[in-house]
């Protein structure tokens, strides 16, 4: 718990507060050049499966309550990160967040573009491990269907999109500087999938997590460069038009030697097809 929670709490609101309180410490730390750090603004039509998770009750109205990303994989199913649904992030057990919504088809969080859809059910992967961050996904079932065309296919195990060197796009409303600058508009960054042995060497096990090749992939540039960042968690990593990853963790953002780590979507598929939490599975005791 400890690790994810610490990370989650240094999320949109808390991180901004820390940066305001200790500007010297913030500016002295490695500040990446710039979703997403080192990225660029995009219109949601370029990655229409990208959704924002929102709770205005918990996170305030200044950015429409956005606190994590998500990705639509069917018209009523959104995937996000398990760590986004932790009690310490949303303030209650996940199925009790009264105003938990998915914001879809909206580039500018403060516009009225697109739609806001209530979340009917939240299932956190029972195999999520807070020490390593393995299995960092949750399945949200929506109260109303999303527009057709706003969904992305999940890449099956063995899909070439997972191969090292594969070029992928990560999108979200997360920190764009690594210093707590949360944008109103959707951003994206191009990153390359890295080889598992490279990822394992970067993250052999430490305070932020441990690389597990069966449930994670990592992407970015070992020299430092574009990367996902706080607030992007749960959002999509798409290669060749297929979903391969969900933003999960990493040490900092865009730093040399510390690539971004993503939940491996083929493992999500395996879990959904097997005995783990899935949207089709009837509620226990109902
Ligand atoms: C986070 O705390 C987080 N640079 C997300 C992505 C990355 C690091 C941290 C990857 O949600």
């Amino acid at each position: 718990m400890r690790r994810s929670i610490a990370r989650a709490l240094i999320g949109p609101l808390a991180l901004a507060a820390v940066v305001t309180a200790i500007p010297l410490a913030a500016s002295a730390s490695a500040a990446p050049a710039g979703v997403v750090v080192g990225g660029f603004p995009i219109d949601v039509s370029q990655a229409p499966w990208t959704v924002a998770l929102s709770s205005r009750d918990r996170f305030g109205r200044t950015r429409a309550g956005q606190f994590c990303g998500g990705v639509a994989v069917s018209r009523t199913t959104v995937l996000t990160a398990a760590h986004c649904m932790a009690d310490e992030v949303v303030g209650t057990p996940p199925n009790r967040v009264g105003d938990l919504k998915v914001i879809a088809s909206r580039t500018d969080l403060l516009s009225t573009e697109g739609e806001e859809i209530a979340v009917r059910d939240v299932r956190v992967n029972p195999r999520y491990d807070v020490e390593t961050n393995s299995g960092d996904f949750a399945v949200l079932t929506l109260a109303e269907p999303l527009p057709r065309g706003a969904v992305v296919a999940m890449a099956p195990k063995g899909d070439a999109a997972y191969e090292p060197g594969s070029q992928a796009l990560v999108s979200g409303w997360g920190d764009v500087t690594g210093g707590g600058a949360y944008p109103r508009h959707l951003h994206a960054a191009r990153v390359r999938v890295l080889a598992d042995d490279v990822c394992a060497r970067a993250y052999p096990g430490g305070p932020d997590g441990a690389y597990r090749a069966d449930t994670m992939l990592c992407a970015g540039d070992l020299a430092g460069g574009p990367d996902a960042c706080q607030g992007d968690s749960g959002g999509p990593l798409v290669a060749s038009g297929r979903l391969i990853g969900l933003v999960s963790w990493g040490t900092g953002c865009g730093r040399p030697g510390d690539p971004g780590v993503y939940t491996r979507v083929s493992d999500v598929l395996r879990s959904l097809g097997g005995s783990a939490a899935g949207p089709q599975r009837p509620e226990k005791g109902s």
Side-chain angles (χ1 to χ4, degrees), residues 7-8 10 83 227-233 247-254 258-261:
R7 245 199 353 274
I10 303 184
H83 82 258
D227 193 10
C229 202
Q230 270 104 5
D232 292 318
S233 284
V247 176
S248 178
W249 65 283
T251 297
C253 307
D258 300 327
V261 188

